[in-house]
Amino acid sequence: MAKSPSSGTKGKKIKWSNLYSFSCFMPNTNIDPDVTTDEQPLIGQQGFSRVVFCNESQLHKVEKSFKYPSNYISTTKYNLVSYLPKALFEQFRRVANFYFLLAAVLSMTTSVAPVKPISLVAPLVFVVGISMLKEAVEDWYRFLQDINVNSRTVKVHKGDGLFVDKAWKKLSVGDVVKVSKNEYFPSDLLLLSSSYEDGICYVETMNLDGETNLKVKRCLEATQSLEIDTDFGEFKATVRCEDPNPNLYTFVGNLTLESHSYPLGPSQLLLRDSKLRNTDHVYGVVVFTGPDTKVVRNSTASPSKRSLIERKMDKVIYVLFSLLVLISLIVSIGSAVVTESEMVKWWYLDLQESDPDPLFNPKSPLSSGLLHFVGALILYGYLIPISLYVSIEVVKVLQALLINKDAEMYDEVTDKSVEAQTSNLNEELGQVEIILSDKTGTLTCNQMEFRKCSIEGILYGGDVNEVDLAASQRMNIDVERYGFSLDGSASIGQSFEIFEFSLEDAGTEMAVLGHENVTGNSKISSSWEQSVIKSFNFRDDRLMNKMWMHNSNVNGMIMFFRVMALCHTGIPIEENGSDKLKYEAESPEEVAFLIASQEFGFKFCRRSQSVMVVQELDPSSGSEVEREYKLLNLLEFSSSRKRMSVIVRNEDGQIFLLCKGADNIIFDRLGEHGRKHQHTTSLHISNFAEDGLRTLAFAYRRIEETQYEEWNTMFSKAKETMGPQRDELLESASEMIENNLILVGAVAVEDKLQKGVPECIDKLAQAGLKIWLLTGDKKETAVNVGFACSLLRHDMKQFHLSLSKEAEASSQVKAMKVEILHQIEDSYQMICDKIHKDVPFALVIDGKALEIALGSDMKAQFLQLAVNCSSVICCRVSPKQKALITKSVKEFTGKTTLAIGDGANDVGMIQEADIGVGISGMEGMQAVMASDFSMPQFRFLERLLIVHGHWCYHRIAKMILYFVYKNIVFGLTLFYYEVYTNFTGGVLYDDWSMAMFNVLLTSLPVIALGILEQDVSAQVCLKFPALYKQGQRNICFSWNRIIGWILNGALASLFIFVINLYALSPYAFKEQGQVADIADFGAITYTCVIWTVNCQIALIITHFTWIQHFFVWGSILCWYIFLYFYSALPPEYSQEVFHLLTEAIGPSPLYWNVTMLVVVVSLLPYFLHLVVQRLFNPTDDQVIQEMKHLRKDTKENEMWVKEQHNSKRITQIGFSARVDAKISSLREQLHQKKTLVDTL
């Protein structure tokens, strides 16, 4: 039995280079060292000046011209030097903070401030300090994640053949490292040798480009003899290569070893964050470190993101600042006029003295007015809610903690939960309109499962998919027994099995159309009692447990299983304590095929350089037989060939070519007698693809000995040819032998989606979000996944933008642009055509076409087409292109974007999007470290957006509006008092009372509102996803609402001041008959303000807990407690409020009556507006609130379900949309069948 590549000696291992045929796997060291490629003369010139001294890293520390950056990677926004200036800039670009900075400076540099400087400086320092501390803490967590990555270890050559563990961050250019199987490469390495004899290794680049297929890298022949650690004791070489750049797929350089120069290419470069697979170990020399590595060059600096609401809040501050300036102008002009015309008559002011007060100088009213203007700007600063920012900061941090602690977003498998990396964007989660998602590791698990197959026209494993099942349940049809609804081919076939199925389907059909009930077939397993096998999820009793041997087409099945067991590059690995083998291969599909063939009785046991051994089931005896096949040739798979073939000789001397590949490629190469089952197989493949499964067709042919010898001679000459014509000769030779094939069947494997992905996408689509799929994988794979996760459906019109082979071969940019522009215009014209107004559209574009489409001259046309499509899939895109797409979509649409990915290749788009989400999966932490939110599974995005996003948006919007309201109420009472006192600059309230307003007496209720408010419960959010559209439309923070709350505040403040003035002025207030003085009037007015604003927030809150009650009513109580203790202080501290509560206002019934009257009248306008609005124009959440309050969700469940159905957005993507499309298709088929039955 074969051993794994990690066991045994080198002499026993396979030389893969002898099997592979095409140039990407062939040694490039056979080229004469004196002969250089076209790019080799560039070495040493600008852009190609890097010099690496292999195994002599100390030279790079000594020689100044050869010093390169360390391997330390940082994703933080700040460092010790930049923290203070950058953080201060972040804080003072907020309008309110900048205003209060100016006010504080003015208060310290002039004498016109009506309040002490400390009362302005202290709040500013507190607010800015808290915000900067929060930024520092969040960046500290990023720093800790950086430490985790930088502290990973790798074995580094210390000297004399000794390798020791060394942290990644301490690596230097020139270090020789040893990387073991399943480890990440710590930097960009030049491959020197591997555990394979011919120096190849397998690399997984999913973290870089999203591709799941393993890449084969191969070292130079000159260095592949460095087999063990001690061989590096005397190793010295020099590498001259290109300078650092972001191109992942190019590398130019040469290696000078023992006076010989050898050219280097991309096949010798191992990129940082890719992983070594299927190879025991490799040796490499560090070429690029840290910021010079290609993956880091593809990333961008951590941006500073601000939410849409926060940016709009700045505009609100501008409005309030304009109001402040207007009020200050009124005060200054009024003061100047009164000083000049009236105050001079007031003899008791003595304004005619030689040294008059500059604030009231009748000789210079203009200067007095200007001074009053400055004083008013400082005094009425309460209109600008400086505490709003720090309150929001505190609330957002606590919101993030609640998100982190949500048990519904915890994944038991990975023991991880959703985490907010920053709390700045909580409310932005409720306004997302476009999601840009990676595929591999984000939507899929990178795990292939064998699901279905078609053998000689018969479908196996045809279990009902979820779409068919959901459609049948809604139509009350047993679709599992209604054959035509699955593939439309139940009546087509040549064998007994299909005939039997068609009879049963006919019976089912009669039952569906109103006739007697019949029992369905039992060929497809109704229960799956076998143990779960990784990569094998197949259910059909006709093939399992050796039952296939009793079918009528045994010979076809044998050939089908042999293609599966022999046409691959896999390696069997012994499984301890089990008779089942594990396999390693270049792609997960091959692993799935090998496991499936093993389950069907064709176990691939071992292979040598030229022999493959398969343990087969012999149908004649029913026993297992071990058969050897001599491997003559291997024509490997490539993206251009889209097929793979092996030529083998069996024990009887017969030669067979076994081929697998894309169905269109295989069908084109079928012989005249090999197309017997092409039509049926094609139908099955179409249905496989509609279910989102990857498909491959299997075919074979028998080759005569003389024909093979003749072909092999020509093929061998082609392999030995050097130069650019080699690939053409090999392709021509393969075309000659890969024809006249006999189609034997097709297979379908599932790129297994992560748990809950289709359901999550369906719910997000109902919430009004568009989803774009960005992947580095090939187009066929991306489209299959699009179907699997319901981004595509069978009745959707697909636009495929790609370059033709002729345009691509010509390499003429103008011709490429013309072709892509023509495709874009034709596609957009079809969308605009009224005939297709109800047809859903999808756009599929590859990387080369995307590069042209995003050019400045046609970007607008492309994006116009893309945003009008229901679904967009971009394949073969580079990390830079992902970031560029995200940026372009964000700028073109102006809508909130969210990017989600799991690998280093997703960092660019995660940082570029308004919100970046990293999947904390198995592929490193780069995406998580660069993200704003991290989560273990894509499915948690549903709850994060639809529940927490919706809540946070409502909470922050209500917070800001309430802050504006309460500051307007408080600030305008000061203004009214100034007008009433003829612009004398008097202050109505005590200094300490003013300081306590935002700090103690109104802060806690609004913080509780921002943390705990829920307009509807989480369950209701998920049942009514259309509620999410309130955030997309920004209903809760529209200018209408903002202006409405400003007017509400102005009206409330007017009622408070006027009622108090006219209630207290003419009447005796104290027992001795005195009227209320300024201290009494100020305290009573202040009491009314506290009661009004706290009762107002009680009207806003829809989800009361004991915490809200405690804070709202406790804040009012705190005013009385504060006033009691403050007024009890000695007069030198309490001044005019000495014993104010106990001796002046407290004993007066008028005080309590006026307070009650003022609160009722001040809140009446809002209450009336609320009643009218709820009666005649209720919002969706208000309707649901009333239904929940009246318990219509339980008492009148039908009404609740109807409302729930009506609230769902009619979508064109998602599981529900696919079910609707399937139901439409089923109904059409039913109508056709019923018409046919009625005519019989």
Side-chain angles (χ1 to χ4, degrees):
M1 189 172 290
K3 296 183 178 182
S4 72
S6 60
S7 60
T9 62
K10 279 204 169 196
K12 295 181 180 179
K13 293 176 184 171
I14 303 166
K15 291 191 70 172
W16 289 102
S17 56
N18 289 349
L19 299 178
Y20 288 121
S21 306
F22 295 94
S23 59
C24 57
F25 304 112
M26 294 304 294
N28 57 5
T29 51
N30 289 337
I31 303 173
D32 188 340
D34 297 326
V35 179
T36 59
T37 65
D38 294 338
E39 292 174 314
Q40 290 300 313
L42 297 173
I43 301 299
Q45 300 181 20
Q46 185 175 3
F48 298 85
S49 60
R50 195 175 187 89
V51 178
V52 178
F53 301 109
C54 302
N55 219 10
E56 296 179 291
S57 59
Q58 69 277 4
L59 295 180
H60 294 286
K61 300 174 184 178
V62 177
E63 295 287 340
K64 187 175 181 180
S65 57
F66 299 125
K67 279 188 176 181
Y68 302 120
S70 70
N71 202 40
Y72 182 85
I73 296 293
S74 175
T75 60
T76 58
K77 292 171 63 175
Y78 311 107
N79 55 41
L80 289 175
V81 176
S82 67
Y83 171 69
L84 196 59
K86 288 181 69 174
L88 286 173
F89 171 77
E90 287 292 323
Q91 296 306 314
F92 287 112
R93 74 173 182 173
R94 292 172 169 172
V95 182
N97 288 352
F98 185 71
Y99 161 74
F100 277 99
L101 176 64
L102 293 179
V105 172
L106 287 174
S107 69
M108 290 186 292
T109 56
T110 65
S111 60
V112 297
V115 293
K116 297 178 180 179
I118 190 64
S119 63
L120 293 172
V121 174
L124 179 65
V125 171
F126 177 76
V127 169
V128 172
I130 291 293
S131 299
M132 290 178 63
L133 179 62
K134 170 182 165 289
E135 287 284 319
V137 170
E138 290 178 349
D139 214 47
W140 174 257
Y141 284 114
R142 296 191 189 96
F143 175 69
L144 294 179
Q145 290 175 331
D146 287 342
I147 289 178
N148 183 42
V149 172
N150 290 312
S151 298
R152 293 178 182 175
T153 60
V154 67
K155 293 191 177 297
V156 181
H157 185 233
K158 185 179 180 180
D160 299 326
L162 179 63
F163 282 77
V164 296
D165 288 330
K166 196 173 186 179
W168 280 20
K169 63 183 178 182
K170 295 183 179 179
L171 283 184
S172 301
V173 171
D175 280 337
V176 174
V177 301
K178 180 180 182 181
V179 180
S180 299
K181 182 179 178 181
N182 293 330
E183 288 183 351
Y184 289 100
F185 299 118
S187 59
D188 290 351
L189 308 176
L190 176 68
L191 178 62
L192 297 177
S193 64
S194 81
S195 55
Y196 284 111
E197 183 176 315
D198 47 357
I200 72 161
C201 69
Y202 293 96
V203 176
E204 181 184 85
T205 60
M206 184 174 65
N207 222 7
L208 303 178
D209 55 22
E211 292 195 28
T212 55
N213 289 350
L214 301 184
K215 310 296 189 300
V216 180
K217 301 286 186 176
R218 190 166 192 273
C219 71
L220 301 173
E221 283 188 358
T223 60
Q224 72 181 37
S225 60
L226 301 168
E227 298 181 352
I228 57 178
D229 293 359
T230 54
D231 291 340
F232 289 91
E234 302 298 327
F235 171 70
K236 297 287 188 297
T238 303
V239 174
R240 291 176 173 83
C241 63
E242 62 186 21
D243 292 337
N245 62 73
N247 300 321
L248 294 174
Y249 308 109
T250 62
F251 181 69
V252 178
N254 58 47
L255 175 79
T256 303
L257 178 64
E258 297 176 352
S259 301
H260 291 282
S261 182
Y262 305 90
L264 300 171
S267 60
Q268 283 85 47
L269 190 65
L270 307 174
L271 299 180
R272 180 186 172 115
D273 289 328
S274 53
K275 183 188 287 187
L276 183 65
R277 298 292 299 272
N278 296 4
T279 311
D280 185 44
H281 64 266
V282 296
Y283 294 99
V285 63
V286 177
V287 179
F288 299 117
T289 51
D292 288 346
T293 58
K294 290 181 179 289
V295 66
V296 175
R297 289 269 169 168
N298 270 278
S299 64
T300 56
S302 297
S304 179
K305 298 181 181 180
R306 302 179 72 209
S307 69
L308 188 64
I309 282 187
E310 189 174 347
R311 294 195 296 270
K312 191 170 185 178
M313 188 169 68
D314 283 347
K315 297 178 181 178
V316 175
I317 299 299
Y318 291 141
V319 171
L320 295 178
F321 186 76
S322 301
L323 180 61
L324 169 63
V325 172
L326 176 63
I327 289 174
S328 300
L329 282 173
I330 294 173
V331 168
S332 62
I333 293 172
S335 174
V337 171
V338 171
T339 300
E340 184 180 23
S341 61
E342 299 294 332
M343 286 189 181
V344 70
K345 302 175 184 178
W346 300 342
W347 58 269
Y348 52 86
L349 295 180
D350 194 19
L351 297 180
Q352 301 298 332
E353 61 184 12
S354 58
D355 188 19
D357 188 342
L359 285 171
F360 305 101
N361 188 356
K363 297 179 181 179
S364 180
L366 181 60
S367 62
S368 296
L370 288 175
L371 291 175
H372 265 281
F373 179 76
V374 175
L377 284 177
I378 298 173
L379 175 63
Y380 299 119
Y382 285 95
L383 292 172
I384 311 296
I386 184 174
S387 59
L388 170 61
Y389 284 109
V390 71
S391 297
I392 287 181
E393 297 287 357
V394 172
V395 163
K396 286 184 176 182
V397 170
L398 295 175
Q399 284 178 351
L401 289 176
L402 291 179
I403 291 174
N404 296 347
K405 298 298 181 182
D406 189 346
E408 296 295 326
M409 296 194 294
Y410 169 74
D411 183 43
E412 294 181 354
V413 177
T414 59
D415 192 30
K416 295 178 180 177
S417 62
V418 173
E419 291 186 6
Q421 306 292 325
T422 178
S423 58
N424 291 341
L425 304 172
N426 294 350
E427 70 275 19
E428 196 88 330
L429 292 172
Q431 297 186 277
V432 177
E433 295 189 64
I434 299 176
I435 296 175
L436 302 104
S437 175
D438 177 44
K439 179 187 74 69
T440 308
T442 303
L443 299 177
T444 65
C445 302
N446 192 30
Q447 177 184 333
M448 299 297 169
E449 286 189 341
F450 187 90
R451 291 294 307 274
K452 301 180 182 183
C453 63
S454 173
I455 305 176
E456 292 196 336
I458 302 177
L459 176 65
Y460 296 96
D463 52 333
V464 180
N465 63 35
E466 294 179 354
V467 173
D468 290 319
L469 189 59
S472 70
Q473 289 172 347
R474 282 174 54 179
M475 295 182 67
N476 198 24
I477 296 175
D478 187 359
V479 80
E480 199 164 333
R481 292 181 289 167
Y482 204 39
F484 73 86
S485 68
L486 289 174
D487 56 24
S489 60
S491 61
I492 301 173
Q494 311 297 326
S495 67
F496 169 76
E497 286 84 355
I498 293 186
F499 176 70
E500 184 179 358
F501 265 101
S502 64
L503 287 177
E504 297 180 12
D505 290 338
T508 305
E509 180 180 328
M510 299 298 287
V512 169
L513 298 177
H515 301 280
E516 61 183 284
N517 293 326
V518 293
T519 304
N521 69 73
S522 59
K523 298 298 181 185
I524 298 174
S525 301
S526 59
S527 62
W528 188 240
E529 299 177 355
Q530 298 186 25
S531 60
V532 177
I533 302 170
K534 186 177 181 181
S535 301
F536 187 74
N537 187 11
F538 180 84
R539 308 182 183 190
D540 200 320
D541 292 340
R542 294 172 295 167
L543 293 188
M544 299 303 297
N545 301 319
K546 304 181 182 180
M547 294 303 295
W548 63 267
M549 293 189 296
H550 305 295
N551 288 340
S552 57
N553 58 336
V554 172
N555 292 332
M557 289 189 169
I558 290 174
M559 287 307 302
F560 179 87
F561 294 142
R562 281 177 179 165
V563 173
M564 193 183 296
L566 293 170
C567 188
H568 59 82
T569 58
I571 305 169
I573 301 175
E574 294 181 9
E575 181 81 326
N576 294 332
S578 173
D579 60 345
K580 298 291 180 69
L581 296 176
K582 281 188 173 182
Y583 298 93
E584 290 183 343
E586 286 184 28
S587 68
E589 292 102 322
E590 287 194 341
V591 174
F593 293 153
L594 288 169
I595 291 176
S597 65
Q598 181 176 228
E599 294 300 317
F600 294 137
F602 283 69
K603 182 195 293 186
F604 172 60
C605 299
R606 59 185 179 274
R607 77 187 310 157
S608 65
Q609 191 64 46
S610 58
V611 175
M612 303 177 74
V613 180
V614 178
Q615 186 175 297
E616 302 180 0
L617 274 176
D618 185 1
S620 59
S621 63
S623 59
E624 295 181 346
V625 179
E626 194 172 275
R627 290 194 171 98
E628 289 190 357
Y629 295 87
K630 186 175 181 181
L631 180 60
L632 303 177
N633 300 92
L634 186 149
L635 309 178
E636 67 271 13
F637 181 90
S638 69
S639 57
S640 59
R641 282 170 43 79
K642 295 185 178 180
R643 65 191 183 278
M644 172 189 177
S645 300
V646 293
I647 301 176
V648 297
R649 189 195 303 273
N650 65 14
E651 293 173 336
D652 298 330
Q654 297 173 323
I655 299 175
F656 288 92
L657 180 142
L658 310 178
C659 184
K660 66 180 181 185
D663 55 308
N664 60 321
I665 300 296
I666 299 298
F667 290 167
D668 289 344
R669 286 161 176 74
L670 296 178
E672 183 178 349
H673 301 292
R675 301 180 180 270
K676 182 178 179 181
H677 307 292
Q678 180 179 349
H679 176 68
T680 311
T681 303
S682 180
L683 287 175
H684 292 162
I685 288 175
S686 297
N687 287 306
F688 294 161
E690 184 183 330
D691 290 342
L693 304 178
R694 296 192 189 187
T695 60
L696 285 177
F698 284 2
Y700 75 97
R701 66 169 292 191
R702 184 176 171 186
I703 306 173
E704 298 297 331
E705 184 72 34
T706 54
Q707 183 184 6
Y708 172 74
E709 292 296 338
E710 180 182 344
W711 174 84
N712 191 46
T713 301
M714 180 183 62
F715 187 70
S716 298
K717 289 181 179 179
K719 287 182 69 174
E720 294 169 0
T721 303
M722 304 308 299
Q725 71 274 23
R726 180 178 183 276
D727 284 352
E728 296 179 11
L729 294 174
L730 285 170
E731 186 60 36
S732 175
S734 66
E735 287 282 353
M736 291 181 62
I737 201 68
E738 291 175 324
N739 56 34
N740 292 322
L741 302 177
I742 299 173
L743 180 66
V744 70
V747 291
V749 295
E750 179 183 15
D751 190 353
K752 189 172 177 59
L753 295 176
Q754 290 187 8
K755 180 182 177 182
V757 166
E759 295 83 356
C760 176
I761 289 177
D762 185 52
K763 197 73 75 174
L764 294 173
Q766 291 176 20
L769 289 97
K770 283 193 172 184
I771 301 174
W772 291 34
L773 180 61
L774 311 181
T775 177
D777 226 328
K778 58 186 179 182
K779 182 167 73 173
E780 293 83 359
T781 302
V783 169
N784 287 338
V785 172
F787 275 108
C789 61
S790 298
L791 289 176
L792 300 176
R793 51 191 241 211
H794 73 283
D795 62 336
M796 184 176 274
K797 174 63 179 175
Q798 296 183 23
F799 302 129
H800 291 258
L801 302 187
S802 59
L803 291 169
S804 63
K805 291 184 178 179
E806 294 78 13
E808 195 171 344
S810 67
S811 298
Q812 294 182 359
V813 177
K814 186 176 180 180
M816 294 179 182
K817 286 185 176 181
V818 169
E819 181 177 8
I820 295 300
L821 183 60
H822 182 67
Q823 294 179 30
I824 292 173
E825 290 175 344
D826 288 349
S827 301
Y828 188 67
Q829 184 61 41
M830 186 175 294
I831 291 178
C832 297
D833 196 334
K834 293 183 178 179
I835 301 175
H836 303 106
K837 64 178 181 178
D838 296 324
V839 178
F841 296 98
L843 176 64
V844 182
I845 183 170
D846 62 26
K848 292 182 179 179
L850 185 65
E851 185 177 355
I852 296 171
L854 288 177
S856 58
D857 48 352
M858 70 177 74
K859 180 192 285 188
Q861 293 99 312
F862 166 70
L863 292 173
Q864 185 69 38
L865 170 65
V867 297
N868 280 281
C869 290
S870 302
S871 183
V872 179
I873 296 178
C874 304
C875 46
R876 290 289 187 188
V877 292
S878 67
K880 280 283 188 182
Q881 284 180 317
K882 286 185 176 183
L884 181 58
I885 295 168
T886 305
K887 181 180 180 181
S888 301
V889 171
K890 182 174 66 172
E891 292 176 349
F892 180 80
T893 63
K895 297 177 179 179
T896 303
T897 58
L898 180 147
I900 180 169
D902 73 316
N905 60 320
D906 303 314
V907 168
M909 74 170 183
I910 285 173
Q911 293 180 333
E912 191 62 56
D914 294 303
I915 302 173
V917 179
I919 300 292
S920 53
M922 306 296 292
E923 301 306 323
M925 296 292 290
Q926 290 81 3
V928 171
M929 290 188 293
S931 68
D932 305 303
F933 297 87
S934 67
M935 58 181 57
Q937 294 272 313
F938 181 88
R939 60 189 166 96
F940 295 125
L941 193 62
E942 173 188 342
R943 187 174 179 87
L944 181 65
L945 296 183
I946 296 178
V947 177
H948 288 283
H950 176 78
W951 284 347
C952 290
Y953 167 73
H954 273 260
R955 291 164 177 169
I956 298 297
K958 284 185 176 182
M959 271 191 71
I960 298 172
L961 293 174
Y962 174 73
F963 252 102
V964 170
Y965 165 82
K966 74 182 183 69
N967 280 56
I968 288 284
V969 171
F970 184 68
L972 287 185
T973 54
L974 293 170
F975 171 66
Y976 298 147
Y977 178 74
E978 177 135 359
V979 173
Y980 179 71
T981 58
N982 283 319
F983 309 102
T984 57
V987 180
L988 178 60
Y989 307 127
D990 175 79
D991 284 350
W992 278 104
S993 299
M994 295 175 68
M996 288 292 107
F997 181 77
N998 281 319
V999 175
L1000 177 64
L1001 302 178
T1002 61
S1003 60
L1004 295 180
V1006 73
I1007 290 176
L1009 170 75
I1011 300 169
L1012 302 173
E1013 171 66 352
Q1014 298 177 12
D1015 58 331
V1016 291
S1017 66
Q1019 293 78 10
V1020 171
C1021 284
L1022 295 173
K1023 287 181 180 179
F1024 296 84
L1027 289 174
Y1028 187 81
K1029 290 183 286 184
Q1030 292 180 339
Q1032 295 173 335
R1033 297 171 183 168
N1034 204 13
I1035 290 175
C1036 297
F1037 200 60
S1038 63
W1039 279 111
N1040 288 338
R1041 289 212 178 186
I1042 294 168
I1043 300 301
W1045 276 98
I1046 291 175
L1047 293 177
N1048 184 30
L1051 202 58
S1053 64
L1054 185 62
F1055 285 148
I1056 291 171
F1057 184 81
V1058 171
I1059 293 175
N1060 273 290
L1061 180 65
Y1062 286 97
L1064 298 176
S1065 297
Y1067 303 107
F1069 184 74
K1070 301 178 183 178
E1071 292 181 357
Q1072 293 80 12
Q1074 302 101 325
V1075 295
D1077 60 16
I1078 181 62
D1080 300 332
F1081 182 68
I1084 296 171
T1085 305
Y1086 193 91
T1087 302
C1088 293
V1089 170
I1090 295 298
W1091 268 94
T1092 299
V1093 297
N1094 280 290
C1095 288
Q1096 177 66 71
I1097 200 172
L1099 289 177
I1100 294 174
I1101 295 173
T1102 55
H1103 176 69
F1104 264 106
T1105 66
W1106 68 268
I1107 298 176
Q1108 278 103 325
H1109 281 293
F1110 178 78
F1111 283 159
V1112 170
W1113 313 121
S1115 295
I1116 297 175
L1117 181 62
C1118 279
W1119 159 241
Y1120 292 107
I1121 295 173
F1122 167 77
L1123 184 58
Y1124 174 80
F1125 284 104
Y1126 181 43
S1127 63
L1129 294 175
E1132 57 267 26
Y1133 298 107
S1134 57
Q1135 298 178 356
E1136 65 268 15
V1137 299
F1138 180 68
H1139 286 178
L1140 182 67
L1141 179 63
T1142 56
E1143 297 181 1
I1145 63 175
S1148 174
L1150 186 60
Y1151 166 64
W1152 304 100
N1153 293 334
V1154 167
T1155 300
M1156 183 178 297
L1157 175 64
V1158 168
V1159 171
V1160 171
V1161 174
S1162 299
L1163 296 178
L1164 190 60
Y1166 175 80
F1167 184 78
L1168 291 175
H1169 164 77
L1170 192 63
V1171 170
V1172 173
Q1173 187 260 325
R1174 278 184 174 265
L1175 281 175
F1176 299 104
N1177 188 28
T1179 59
D1180 293 338
D1181 56 332
Q1182 289 172 346
V1183 173
I1184 296 170
Q1185 288 167 9
E1186 292 180 14
M1187 292 181 68
K1188 289 287 288 183
H1189 180 71
L1190 297 174
R1191 298 188 176 180
K1192 290 186 178 182
D1193 56 329
T1194 55
K1195 292 181 179 180
E1196 300 180 33
N1197 189 51
E1198 290 184 5
M1199 183 177 179
W1200 177 260
V1201 173
K1202 181 180 179 181
E1203 190 68 28
Q1204 181 180 342
H1205 178 73
N1206 291 338
S1207 76
K1208 289 185 177 179
R1209 181 186 176 94
I1210 299 175
T1211 63
Q1212 294 179 326
I1213 64 168
F1215 184 79
S1216 297
R1218 287 187 68 193
V1219 172
D1220 291 338
K1222 175 60 74 173
I1223 288 175
S1224 177
S1225 176
L1226 286 175
R1227 283 175 176 162
E1228 184 178 348
Q1229 292 181 57
L1230 278 171
H1231 178 71
Q1232 294 174 356
K1233 294 278 182 175
K1234 192 175 190 309
T1235 303
L1236 179 62
V1237 170
D1238 290 341
T1239 58
L1240 296 177

